[in-house]
Structures are given as structure tokens and as C-alpha cells.
Amino acid sequence: MAKAEVFPWLAECRVHLCELHRTQRLPHALIVHGAQGIGKANFATAFAHYLLCQSPQGDQPCGSCKACELNNVDGHPDLYLLEPDDIGKPIKVDQIRQLTDFICSTAQQGGYRVVIINPADAMNVAAANALLKMLEEPGKDTVLMLITDRLGQVMPTIKSRCQRVECPLPSEQVATDFVAQALSLDADEAQRLLRINNGAPMATLNYSESDQAEWRSQLVKGLADVLKQRRTVVEVAQAWQKADLELMLGWLYSMLVDISRAKATENEALKQEDAHNMLVAVSRKTNPAKVFELASLVQEERKSLILRQNTNKQMLLERILLAWSAIVR
Ligand SMILES: [Zn+2]
């Protein structure tokens, strides 16, 4: 379970939901949507704790009632977290069936039952259909929170039964201050890291605390090598076998967005500073249609990654890298 925390940029979302709750207008199903890495899961956990608390203080759980004590040790029987069994894999229909048992039982502490599904876009079709039935006839005092950064991947029939909670990105200033403080960095370095991570603070913390920076430099180097024909597409694809493909493709997509922006605005001050020279060179040699086509391919491959059981990484990367080398020809 993500740590319960409402970051400052999501405070207004909390005010909104607590207001709905106080006036008894809280819907039984919410989609918590916003960019990746901004603290949506922390937010959902915090709101669940608030709903379960027996004597909330304003918009906060009291922290000391029985429910809060159970939540503090991740042990509240009426809070259910549904995630894929393995990271990056689909949520399966069997998991939704287990959830049905939970929903159909009586709340053990006599209050709400809260379900967090994260990420909601990871449900395969069978799982989504099973969930749909549940959304049509929710139990009393049940709240489902579906978390996603890919709303387009959530079935429209599910979306139409949920009220949407739009989680904003913080402003660049707020995000920079937050990251600089959390990682003890100066503002310039914090800003550089944030730009690699699309301005998302939690994604940035995760980036700096993992091996992602190493993969990022492998990505930049591999893309440059392919363009300059220092390594073949096959060699670079082999070198990336152990990478988190979702992450790599996400970065590549941001680079393509950067190139498009540079071409559209004739402004070569790109956000992706670590790949700046390469991206400027590409933007001078390519045309918008080619960049758009590659960006679409990258998005398609990202979508299919999560729903595919066994991805042939080598083939996928070769397809992407071949298309990458073709955008300057
Ligand atoms: Zn409490």
C-alpha cells in the first residue's frame, strides 16, 4: 500500500472529495486520473484512511481511533488494494472475483469499505467486464477508487460509471522546490531531473533512487549510436534487454514531443537537456509527419506492453529503433 500522503499540489482534490463526502454526495466510484509519478496512489490511500476514520478532524483522519491504528499498520480489513500480481502485468479476472467476495461481505468495522485499483488501465477485458458488473450494483457504503495515468486505456463503460478526480501536476516552481528539498539538490539540478521525468515529483525521486539514470544514459547513447551508425539496431536492442521498456518508451516519447515542439515553435531550447544536441540535430533533419508517425508507434507499443503476456523485447526494440533511424532519412 502506498504511504498515505496528500502532496500540496493535490490538496485541492482532497478538499473537493471531503466536501462531497460531508454533503453526502460522494459517488461510489471514482477515477483518480493524472500524470504518472505525482502521488496519486498516496492520495488515494490518504482519502481511504479519511473515509475509514471514526472521527475525522476536518479533512484529515484523526490518527488515533481504532480504524486509524489499523490503517497505520496497513491492516484495516475494510480497505482492499487491488494491483497486478506482477508489476507491468494485467489485473486478471480471478482477482476481480476475489474482490467481489470482499464487496459482498459486511464491513468488519461497520463503516465504509474502500477498494483501490491501481492501475485501473491494467485490467484485461475479462477483468474490466467483471468489474463493470460490480459498478452497476455496488454494495452500500462502498467506495471504489480507480487510479490511472492512461485514461484512454480504461473501458468507456467503466469510465462512464465513475466520477473523475483530475490530479494536476505541480507548477515547475513547486515541483523544483519539492525535489530540491527531498534530494538535497540545488534548484538547477532538481529542475534538470524533473524535466527528464515530465515534471512529476515522485517519478523524479524514484528516478534518482534507482538505476533509472543509468538506463536513461543508455537510451540517449543507444539512440545516438543508431543515428551515427556506430552500432546496429540489433546490437542496441540487445543492450537494452534488461531495461524497463515502459520507462524507456516513455522517455523516447517525451523526446519526440520535444522535437515536435521545437519544430512547431522554431525554438530549439529543448527540455530534455541530456539529449539536447542529438534532438536538435534530429529536429533539423526530420519533418513533423515522420515524428508524429514514430510517436504513434511508440504509444502503440507502450499500450500493448502491459496487456501482452510475453513480449518479444528484441523484436519490439528493433521495430522502434528502425523507425527512429528512419526519421532523419
Ligand atoms: Zn481516526
Side-chain angles (χ1 to χ4, degrees), residues 240-251 302 305 311-314 316-317:
W240 292 354
Q241 284 299 304
K242 292 209 166 70
D244 176 344
L245 285 196
E246 161 69 20
L247 192 67
M248 298 285 263
L249 294 184
W251 284 332
R302 284 176 79 193
L305 261 184
T311 304
N312 185 330
K313 280 186 156 188
Q314 182 71 23
L316 185 155
L317 286 168

Side-chain angles (χ1 to χ4, degrees), residues 53-55 61-65 68:
C53 173
Q54 289 152 358
S55 54
C62 73
S64 56
C65 69
C68 285

Side-chain angles (χ1 to χ4, degrees), residues 292-310:
F292 181 76
E293 200 177 316
L294 177 55
S296 303
L297 173 68
V298 171
Q299 283 301 65
E300 279 307 306
E301 296 287 6
R302 284 176 79 193
K303 272 191 209 167
S304 65
L305 261 184
I306 206 160
L307 295 175
R308 227 180 278 164
Q309 288 295 336
N310 296 303

Side-chain angles (χ1 to χ4, degrees), residues 126-201:
N129 280 322
L131 181 73
L132 198 55
K133 290 209 184 81
M134 209 175 293
L135 291 174
E136 282 163 354
E137 294 173 30
K140 191 175 170 292
D141 291 337
T142 301
V143 176
L144 286 99
M145 283 188 272
L146 283 64
I147 302 177
T148 185
D149 50 76
R150 287 186 279 199
L151 205 53
Q153 293 289 95
V154 179
M155 257 180 22
T157 41
I158 287 191
K159 275 188 283 198
S160 68
R161 284 171 174 81
C162 300
Q163 193 170 117
R164 208 181 298 172
V165 181
E166 283 297 335
C167 297
L169 273 172
S171 68
E172 191 166 32
Q173 185 64 54
V174 167
T176 301
D177 290 347
F178 180 86
V179 168
Q181 195 188 6
L183 297 175
S184 307
L185 297 173
D186 64 41
D188 285 349
E189 180 61 10
Q191 199 174 49
R192 191 187 70 78
L193 292 178
L194 269 163
R195 286 179 170 179
I196 289 172
N197 293 288
N198 299 316

Side-chain angles (χ1 to χ4, degrees), residues 49-50 52-57 60-69 71:
H49 288 190
Y50 162 84
L52 292 166
C53 173
Q54 289 152 358
S55 54
Q57 313 287 305
Q60 313 253 15
C62 73
S64 56
C65 69
K66 176 92 187 296
C68 285
E69 275 177 11
N71 275 323

